[in-house]
Amino acid sequence: MTNIYRLSPEKNKTRRKIRTLCLFLAFLLCGAALSFTAFAAETKPGQNDTVKKATVIEVDTKYTDNLATDEDIDFYKFSLTSQGYVSIDFTHTSFNWDDGDPWYLIFYTSKFTKLYKMDIPTKKSKVSTPKIGLPKGTYYIKIGSQDMCWTSRKYGVQVNYTAATDWETENNDSGSRADEIKVNQKYNGALTYFYMDNDVDYYKFTTTEKGCARLTFTHASINDDEIFWIVTLYDAEFNQLTSIDVSGKKSAVSSAYVGIPAGTYYVYVEGWEECEDMYGIQVAFTASSIWETELNDSSATADTIVKNKTYNGSLATDNDTDYYKFVMKTTDYASFTFKHTSFNEGWSFWYVTLYDKDFNEIKCLESTGKKATVYTSLVKLKKGTYYIVVEKDSYSSRTYSLRVRSAYTVKYHSTASSAASGTVTKVKYGVSTKTKTVEQLKFSVSGKTFAGWRVYREYDGKWAATKTGSDKLEWVALTNGKLPSGYSYKLYENGESVAKTAPSGVVHFYGQWK
């Protein structure tokens, strides 16, 4: 028998007053709480077991429910008004049940493309999806029980959302659905793994002018030497331009610089070992007219270069080869120079070969890590087309520079009216070269001393001169056999070094005596 205790009317009246006061205080406290945190909601059994009856939920709010039977399914539906990323938390009271996984959670797009699936074990009271980048739109969550493993215990589900324009948006798993990105701006993403459905991420960018590009991939360091990500740069036809492997311990990895023409390009991120951590990806791009343009890996796609101008390039992969083409308009002397930043390796890393139009070898250089600059001797080239091919020996992706230097010939005359002597000096354009002295040439004029050289170049038919009041060298044409008013001849000193006196042709030195 249950004992019922009754209060006196007076005490009962007091109790009612106390209860009313408590309810009022509770109401105030709840009102205050509502201004900071939304209440968790609980659905009724069976009300959300189909897509059409999916419970509409808000992001950043926890909802509770349970699977009433082993065949029960709960659907949830939420919408994003702007691009961002989400993670979904599934919580329950931990319990020990033979290490079973009584629940599963599947995350879908509005078209029911699967974005993620996870199983929820009994002993783990909270399980979360990785961060998943999404465009604005509607999404669904499905929760059900595993075969032969059901529980009616309550669970909680919450969608955590952060608005962001610098995240990938799933499903960007093909070139046609690639996320459009801007160069020189960092973007974030994450690869997801569930059963046999492994994620890949595609990005697309466009350049309006030629230049050089470089991939940089970052992530939180993982104490593991295994390769977790492979990142590849493709052109619009999906020809591979460069690729990098990213290990766990190396939190930032950059590719070689790659010269590219204006156009559309793709970045492809795929997994090797499974890792759902957030990563960062950035395409650094610098507009430049002096970079090679991939794919210049054959004579048909060779980059056209001009003499006396420096060009940059790199072997972007270990099977890359770079072709360059230049034209000699007249028979003349030329050489080429190959440079890179020095590094402490004595091995040969590059072969650089000069060919004629029929690909007969003319000159070949080997460039080691330690030797930052190598160059050929002058070679006489006939009028026509020539090729320079840069290929690997041992492989290095470092940036190199290449320059074809034309040459000019200095001829010496003992006086303004004398014929040239048989002694000449060959000068590679831009390379400081000492000229002959009158003593070496055995030039002399009786009773006079040497005053200097008047210098004339055939390249443009001009003389070395200075304007009155200035020491600046100018190249000036004669008018009626005389320099323009206000100019005087600049005299080169005995044995003076020259470098850029003329791009090619003959430069005449005429002795002046006093």
mmCIF file with all atom_site columns, all heavy atoms in Angstrom, residues 110-122:
data_model
loop_
_atom_site.group_PDB
_atom_site.id
_atom_site.type_symbol
_atom_site.label_atom_id
_atom_site.label_alt_id
_atom_site.label_comp_id
_atom_site.label_asym_id
_atom_site.label_entity_id
_atom_site.label_seq_id
_atom_site.pdbx_PDB_ins_code
_atom_site.Cartn_x
_atom_site.Cartn_y
_atom_site.Cartn_z
_atom_site.occupancy
_atom_site.B_iso_or_equiv
_atom_site.pdbx_formal_charge
_atom_site.auth_seq_id
_atom_site.auth_comp_id
_atom_site.auth_asym_id
_atom_site.auth_atom_id
_atom_site.pdbx_PDB_model_num
ATOM 1   N N   . SER A 1 110 ? 21.662 17.001 -52.099 1.00 0.00 ? 110 SER A N   1
ATOM 2   C CA  . SER A 1 110 ? 20.224 17.008 -52.379 1.00 0.00 ? 110 SER A CA  1
ATOM 3   C C   . SER A 1 110 ? 19.856 16.008 -53.471 1.00 0.00 ? 110 SER A C   1
ATOM 4   O O   . SER A 1 110 ? 18.707 15.579 -53.576 1.00 0.00 ? 110 SER A O   1
ATOM 5   C CB  . SER A 1 110 ? 19.779 18.416 -52.794 1.00 0.00 ? 110 SER A CB  1
ATOM 6   O OG  . SER A 1 110 ? 20.484 18.832 -53.947 1.00 0.00 ? 110 SER A OG  1
ATOM 7   N N   . LYS A 1 111 ? 20.851 15.617 -54.283 1.00 0.00 ? 111 LYS A N   1
ATOM 8   C CA  . LYS A 1 111 ? 20.613 14.614 -55.324 1.00 0.00 ? 111 LYS A CA  1
ATOM 9   C C   . LYS A 1 111 ? 21.007 13.216 -54.847 1.00 0.00 ? 111 LYS A C   1
ATOM 10  O O   . LYS A 1 111 ? 21.098 12.288 -55.632 1.00 0.00 ? 111 LYS A O   1
ATOM 11  C CB  . LYS A 1 111 ? 21.391 14.982 -56.589 1.00 0.00 ? 111 LYS A CB  1
ATOM 12  C CG  . LYS A 1 111 ? 20.900 16.276 -57.229 1.00 0.00 ? 111 LYS A CG  1
ATOM 13  C CD  . LYS A 1 111 ? 21.673 16.582 -58.504 1.00 0.00 ? 111 LYS A CD  1
ATOM 14  C CE  . LYS A 1 111 ? 21.152 17.861 -59.155 1.00 0.00 ? 111 LYS A CE  1
ATOM 15  N NZ  . LYS A 1 111 ? 21.886 18.208 -60.391 1.00 0.00 ? 111 LYS A NZ  1
ATOM 16  N N   . PHE A 1 112 ? 21.283 13.127 -53.576 1.00 0.00 ? 112 PHE A N   1
ATOM 17  C CA  . PHE A 1 112 ? 21.641 11.869 -52.909 1.00 0.00 ? 112 PHE A CA  1
ATOM 18  C C   . PHE A 1 112 ? 22.927 11.247 -53.446 1.00 0.00 ? 112 PHE A C   1
ATOM 19  O O   . PHE A 1 112 ? 23.076 10.041 -53.527 1.00 0.00 ? 112 PHE A O   1
ATOM 20  C CB  . PHE A 1 112 ? 20.470 10.891 -52.907 1.00 0.00 ? 112 PHE A CB  1
ATOM 21  C CG  . PHE A 1 112 ? 19.503 11.225 -51.804 1.00 0.00 ? 112 PHE A CG  1
ATOM 22  C CD1 . PHE A 1 112 ? 18.531 12.191 -52.000 1.00 0.00 ? 112 PHE A CD1 1
ATOM 23  C CD2 . PHE A 1 112 ? 19.624 10.640 -50.563 1.00 0.00 ? 112 PHE A CD2 1
ATOM 24  C CE1 . PHE A 1 112 ? 17.682 12.560 -50.976 1.00 0.00 ? 112 PHE A CE1 1
ATOM 25  C CE2 . PHE A 1 112 ? 18.767 11.004 -49.527 1.00 0.00 ? 112 PHE A CE2 1
ATOM 26  C CZ  . PHE A 1 112 ? 17.796 11.959 -49.727 1.00 0.00 ? 112 PHE A CZ  1
ATOM 27  N N   . THR A 1 113 ? 23.857 12.145 -53.792 1.00 0.00 ? 113 THR A N   1
ATOM 28  C CA  . THR A 1 113 ? 25.241 11.717 -53.995 1.00 0.00 ? 113 THR A CA  1
ATOM 29  C C   . THR A 1 113 ? 25.882 11.598 -52.621 1.00 0.00 ? 113 THR A C   1
ATOM 30  O O   . THR A 1 113 ? 25.798 12.517 -51.807 1.00 0.00 ? 113 THR A O   1
ATOM 31  C CB  . THR A 1 113 ? 26.008 12.737 -54.845 1.00 0.00 ? 113 THR A CB  1
ATOM 32  O OG1 . THR A 1 113 ? 25.372 12.867 -56.117 1.00 0.00 ? 113 THR A OG1 1
ATOM 33  C CG2 . THR A 1 113 ? 27.456 12.307 -55.035 1.00 0.00 ? 113 THR A CG2 1
ATOM 34  N N   . LYS A 1 114 ? 26.496 10.466 -52.362 1.00 0.00 ? 114 LYS A N   1
ATOM 35  C CA  . LYS A 1 114 ? 27.050 10.218 -51.033 1.00 0.00 ? 114 LYS A CA  1
ATOM 36  C C   . LYS A 1 114 ? 28.301 11.064 -50.811 1.00 0.00 ? 114 LYS A C   1
ATOM 37  O O   . LYS A 1 114 ? 29.233 11.044 -51.592 1.00 0.00 ? 114 LYS A O   1
ATOM 38  C CB  . LYS A 1 114 ? 27.388 8.738  -50.884 1.00 0.00 ? 114 LYS A CB  1
ATOM 39  C CG  . LYS A 1 114 ? 27.741 8.310  -49.458 1.00 0.00 ? 114 LYS A CG  1
ATOM 40  C CD  . LYS A 1 114 ? 28.182 6.853  -49.413 1.00 0.00 ? 114 LYS A CD  1
ATOM 41  C CE  . LYS A 1 114 ? 27.075 5.906  -49.850 1.00 0.00 ? 114 LYS A CE  1
ATOM 42  N NZ  . LYS A 1 114 ? 27.503 4.487  -49.734 1.00 0.00 ? 114 LYS A NZ  1
ATOM 43  N N   . LEU A 1 115 ? 28.304 11.830 -49.717 1.00 0.00 ? 115 LEU A N   1
ATOM 44  C CA  . LEU A 1 115 ? 29.453 12.636 -49.348 1.00 0.00 ? 115 LEU A CA  1
ATOM 45  C C   . LEU A 1 115 ? 30.315 11.960 -48.292 1.00 0.00 ? 115 LEU A C   1
ATOM 46  O O   . LEU A 1 115 ? 31.536 12.119 -48.286 1.00 0.00 ? 115 LEU A O   1
ATOM 47  C CB  . LEU A 1 115 ? 29.008 14.008 -48.825 1.00 0.00 ? 115 LEU A CB  1
ATOM 48  C CG  . LEU A 1 115 ? 28.331 14.924 -49.838 1.00 0.00 ? 115 LEU A CG  1
ATOM 49  C CD1 . LEU A 1 115 ? 27.790 16.158 -49.153 1.00 0.00 ? 115 LEU A CD1 1
ATOM 50  C CD2 . LEU A 1 115 ? 29.310 15.313 -50.927 1.00 0.00 ? 115 LEU A CD2 1
ATOM 51  N N   . TYR A 1 116 ? 29.674 11.221 -47.384 1.00 0.00 ? 116 TYR A N   1
ATOM 52  C CA  . TYR A 1 116 ? 30.439 10.559 -46.328 1.00 0.00 ? 116 TYR A CA  1
ATOM 53  C C   . TYR A 1 116 ? 29.577 9.496  -45.668 1.00 0.00 ? 116 TYR A C   1
ATOM 54  O O   . TYR A 1 116 ? 28.353 9.599  -45.641 1.00 0.00 ? 116 TYR A O   1
ATOM 55  C CB  . TYR A 1 116 ? 30.902 11.570 -45.270 1.00 0.00 ? 116 TYR A CB  1
ATOM 56  C CG  . TYR A 1 116 ? 32.058 11.056 -44.440 1.00 0.00 ? 116 TYR A CG  1
ATOM 57  C CD1 . TYR A 1 116 ? 33.342 11.010 -44.973 1.00 0.00 ? 116 TYR A CD1 1
ATOM 58  C CD2 . TYR A 1 116 ? 31.875 10.602 -43.143 1.00 0.00 ? 116 TYR A CD2 1
ATOM 59  C CE1 . TYR A 1 116 ? 34.415 10.530 -44.235 1.00 0.00 ? 116 TYR A CE1 1
ATOM 60  C CE2 . TYR A 1 116 ? 32.946 10.122 -42.388 1.00 0.00 ? 116 TYR A CE2 1
ATOM 61  C CZ  . TYR A 1 116 ? 34.209 10.087 -42.947 1.00 0.00 ? 116 TYR A CZ  1
ATOM 62  O OH  . TYR A 1 116 ? 35.267 9.598  -42.225 1.00 0.00 ? 116 TYR A OH  1
ATOM 63  N N   . LYS A 1 117 ? 30.255 8.469  -45.146 1.00 0.00 ? 117 LYS A N   1
ATOM 64  C CA  . LYS A 1 117 ? 29.578 7.464  -44.338 1.00 0.00 ? 117 LYS A CA  1
ATOM 65  C C   . LYS A 1 117 ? 30.495 7.075  -43.189 1.00 0.00 ? 117 LYS A C   1
ATOM 66  O O   . LYS A 1 117 ? 31.700 6.927  -43.370 1.00 0.00 ? 117 LYS A O   1
ATOM 67  C CB  . LYS A 1 117 ? 29.240 6.216  -45.158 1.00 0.00 ? 117 LYS A CB  1
ATOM 68  C CG  . LYS A 1 117 ? 28.536 5.149  -44.307 1.00 0.00 ? 117 LYS A CG  1
ATOM 69  C CD  . LYS A 1 117 ? 28.185 3.906  -45.101 1.00 0.00 ? 117 LYS A CD  1
ATOM 70  C CE  . LYS A 1 117 ? 27.501 2.886  -44.190 1.00 0.00 ? 117 LYS A CE  1
ATOM 71  N NZ  . LYS A 1 117 ? 27.154 1.628  -44.895 1.00 0.00 ? 117 LYS A NZ  1
ATOM 72  N N   . MET A 1 118 ? 29.900 6.925  -41.978 1.00 0.00 ? 118 MET A N   1
ATOM 73  C CA  . MET A 1 118 ? 30.702 6.466  -40.853 1.00 0.00 ? 118 MET A CA  1
ATOM 74  C C   . MET A 1 118 ? 29.865 5.554  -39.955 1.00 0.00 ? 118 MET A C   1
ATOM 75  O O   . MET A 1 118 ? 28.641 5.687  -39.871 1.00 0.00 ? 118 MET A O   1
ATOM 76  C CB  . MET A 1 118 ? 31.247 7.643  -40.043 1.00 0.00 ? 118 MET A CB  1
ATOM 77  C CG  . MET A 1 118 ? 30.227 8.539  -39.390 1.00 0.00 ? 118 MET A CG  1
ATOM 78  S SD  . MET A 1 118 ? 31.055 9.900  -38.528 1.00 0.00 ? 118 MET A SD  1
ATOM 79  C CE  . MET A 1 118 ? 29.629 10.725 -37.770 1.00 0.00 ? 118 MET A CE  1
ATOM 80  N N   . ASP A 1 119 ? 30.562 4.601  -39.339 1.00 0.00 ? 119 ASP A N   1
ATOM 81  C CA  . ASP A 1 119 ? 29.959 3.707  -38.357 1.00 0.00 ? 119 ASP A CA  1
ATOM 82  C C   . ASP A 1 119 ? 30.274 4.229  -36.969 1.00 0.00 ? 119 ASP A C   1
ATOM 83  O O   . ASP A 1 119 ? 31.362 4.756  -36.720 1.00 0.00 ? 119 ASP A O   1
ATOM 84  C CB  . ASP A 1 119 ? 30.500 2.291  -38.509 1.00 0.00 ? 119 ASP A CB  1
ATOM 85  C CG  . ASP A 1 119 ? 30.162 1.685  -39.863 1.00 0.00 ? 119 ASP A CG  1
ATOM 86  O OD1 . ASP A 1 119 ? 29.148 2.115  -40.449 1.00 0.00 ? 119 ASP A OD1 1
ATOM 87  O OD2 . ASP A 1 119 ? 30.912 0.805  -40.322 1.00 0.00 ? 119 ASP A OD2 1
ATOM 88  N N   . ILE A 1 120 ? 29.321 4.065  -36.049 1.00 0.00 ? 120 ILE A N   1
ATOM 89  C CA  . ILE A 1 120 ? 29.484 4.610  -34.701 1.00 0.00 ? 120 ILE A CA  1
ATOM 90  C C   . ILE A 1 120 ? 29.579 3.467  -33.704 1.00 0.00 ? 120 ILE A C   1
ATOM 91  O O   . ILE A 1 120 ? 28.637 2.693  -33.531 1.00 0.00 ? 120 ILE A O   1
ATOM 92  C CB  . ILE A 1 120 ? 28.323 5.549  -34.325 1.00 0.00 ? 120 ILE A CB  1
ATOM 93  C CG1 . ILE A 1 120 ? 28.334 6.798  -35.225 1.00 0.00 ? 120 ILE A CG1 1
ATOM 94  C CG2 . ILE A 1 120 ? 28.435 5.975  -32.867 1.00 0.00 ? 120 ILE A CG2 1
ATOM 95  C CD1 . ILE A 1 120 ? 27.582 6.702  -36.488 1.00 0.00 ? 120 ILE A CD1 1
ATOM 96  N N   . PRO A 1 121 ? 30.733 3.329  -33.041 1.00 0.00 ? 121 PRO A N   1
ATOM 97  C CA  . PRO A 1 121 ? 30.924 2.234  -32.089 1.00 0.00 ? 121 PRO A CA  1
ATOM 98  C C   . PRO A 1 121 ? 30.278 2.538  -30.740 1.00 0.00 ? 121 PRO A C   1
ATOM 99  O O   . PRO A 1 121 ? 29.987 3.693  -30.414 1.00 0.00 ? 121 PRO A O   1
ATOM 100 C CB  . PRO A 1 121 ? 32.448 2.151  -31.958 1.00 0.00 ? 121 PRO A CB  1
ATOM 101 C CG  . PRO A 1 121 ? 32.922 3.546  -32.240 1.00 0.00 ? 121 PRO A CG  1
ATOM 102 C CD  . PRO A 1 121 ? 31.962 4.116  -33.243 1.00 0.00 ? 121 PRO A CD  1
ATOM 103 N N   . THR A 1 122 ? 30.096 1.482  -29.943 1.00 0.00 ? 122 THR A N   1
ATOM 104 C CA  . THR A 1 122 ? 29.456 1.655  -28.629 1.00 0.00 ? 122 THR A CA  1
ATOM 105 C C   . THR A 1 122 ? 30.363 2.371  -27.643 1.00 0.00 ? 122 THR A C   1
ATOM 106 O O   . THR A 1 122 ? 29.893 3.147  -26.812 1.00 0.00 ? 122 THR A O   1
ATOM 107 C CB  . THR A 1 122 ? 29.088 0.275  -28.045 1.00 0.00 ? 122 THR A CB  1
ATOM 108 O OG1 . THR A 1 122 ? 30.284 -0.506 -27.917 1.00 0.00 ? 122 THR A OG1 1
ATOM 109 C CG2 . THR A 1 122 ? 28.115 -0.445 -28.950 1.00 0.00 ? 122 THR A CG2 1
#
